[in-house]
Every structure is written in C-alpha cells, then in structure tokens.
Amino acid sequence: MTTSETGAKILVIDDEPQIRKLLKVTLQAHQFEIEEAATGEEGIVKATVAHPDLIVLDLGLPDMPGMEVLHRIREWSSVPIMVLTAKEREEDKIAALDGGADDYVTKPFGMGELLARIRVALRHVAKSVHEPVLKFDELVIDLAQRSVMLGDERVKLTPTEYDLLKILATNADKVITQRQLLQQVWGSHHHESSEGHYLRVYISHLRKKLEEDPTRPKLIITEPGIGYRFITPDNISS
C-alpha cells in the first residue's frame, strides 16, 4: 500500500447496517479511516464536513435516489465516487458513470475486488492528471508535445486517435462511457448512431498500433455495452 493510500478516509453511504459493518471492519483492517452515513442527506452532509478521500455510494437509499446524491456532490466536489449497486442493467451503470461516478461495483460483491478498485481510484488521484508526461511501462505519452512512444519507436496517430488515447490514458483504470468519448472527441452535437461506429473503428486502430495482440487487448479493454477502460500495467491480468 502506498503512502497516498495509507490512512485514506472513505465515506460509506449505504442504508444497510450489515453492509456498512462489513465495509467498516474490512476497510479498517486495511488501515483506511471510515465515515458512515445511512441516508442520502446524511451522506451529503458528511461529504461536506468530513472531506473524504473517496466515497462508496449505494444507489438504493431510503430518502432520495443515489443518483441525486451523486449529482449534488458533483456540483462542488471531484472526490472519487464508487457506486455500489444491486442494479445490473447497463443503462443504470451508464447513467451513474455519465453522472460523475468513477467506477461501480455490483452487489453481491467480493471484498478483494472492491479493495483493488479503491486502491486504483486513490492512486489515480494521488498521481493525478496534470502530469505533462504519462508513462505506462514502454508506452510514453507526452501531452505537451502530443507525441506517443512505444519503446524506442514513435507511434504515428491521427488527431482523432490521439485524442481518444489521451482521454483514456488520463483517466486510466476508469470506465469511460461511449457517450463521454463521443462528446469529448466529436463534440456536443455528435450523433451516437453514426459516430458510435467510427468510435469502434478508431479503438480498433489504436489497438493495432499499441497492443501486442490486438485481437486480445490488454491495454484498451471493452466494457460491454458501456464503453472502454485503459488498463495500467499494474492492473493487467496475465
């Protein structure tokens, strides 16, 4: 565990006492500091006064929809928010991610997976976002020069391919929805029906230029029905 993760404060917003107890016991055993809230309103207040490093948010709350909690916190805070939900529909996951969630975990969940995702989110914040050069083993992205190197070879990318890679890499290990990519690359007036096809084509081109085996990608993976995730080397499964 890195220094940035040790002692990090996590706010758990969930109305189920047994879930809060499980998370509190497990996360405290991994040296996290825990704050709890049983309602959306209490969660919003604690997010304001406790200054958590990460929020675990249940979508099924008794006093208000979890999505409303997400939107209200996102009005003023960029703290990582991990949605914990029993809803498995793609539409619900997409809505949460488009609404500002950084990741989601579906109930029932494994604590190992949840802990791994929490560590990834905290590392991402710690190293953050304004670094001019992003390094992922042999892949180096120079944001100032708009250049990409793979080992000793310069990778020739089109402007659209570069923009897609930049968005994915600067949000490494986070799910980026198709809608988010379309809006950021093609603009607010994109047409999902047409640009969605082009997005898949450009992702395919990126994989051919960056992946060891483009037919079995390990760097840019598809989240079926939702979008894409750029996987950092530490989180690539062999």
Side-chain angles (χ1 to χ4, degrees), residues 11-15 20 35-50 61-64 69 72-73:
L11 170 61
V12 177
I13 308 175
D14 197 303
D15 66 320
R20 295 201 309 276
E35 294 280 345
E36 298 179 59
T39 67
E41 198 62 53
E42 183 186 6
I44 292 169
V45 171
K46 288 200 172 182
T48 306
V49 300
L61 297 170
D63 58 331
M64 68 176 71
V69 178
R72 287 174 61 177
I73 293 174

Side-chain angles (χ1 to χ4, degrees), residues 190-207:
H190 71 274
H191 301 284
E192 288 194 36
S193 58
S194 57
E195 274 91 342
H197 167 71
Y198 292 123
L199 176 58
R200 290 189 292 274
V201 171
Y202 281 113
I203 292 292
S204 176
H205 289 169
L206 276 176
R207 286 171 172 162

Side-chain angles (χ1 to χ4, degrees), residues 82-83 85 93 97 102-106 117 175 223 226:
M82 183 170 299
V83 163
T85 178
K93 296 174 182 178
L97 292 164
D102 294 272
D103 205 348
Y104 62 85
V105 175
T106 304
R117 290 181 183 241
V175 180
E223 295 284 348
I226 298 173

Side-chain angles (χ1 to χ4, degrees), residues 3 5 18 68 71 94 120 124 164 185 223 237-238:
T3 303
E5 296 162 29
Q18 62 270 35
E68 182 178 342
H71 291 150
I94 290 170
V120 165
H124 180 69
L164 283 171
V185 175
E223 295 284 348
S237 56
S238 57

Side-chain angles (χ1 to χ4, degrees), residues 139-151:
L139 178 64
V140 179
I141 305 168
D142 188 322
L143 301 179
Q145 300 295 323
R146 289 180 63 90
S147 69
V148 179
M149 300 290 294
L150 188 60

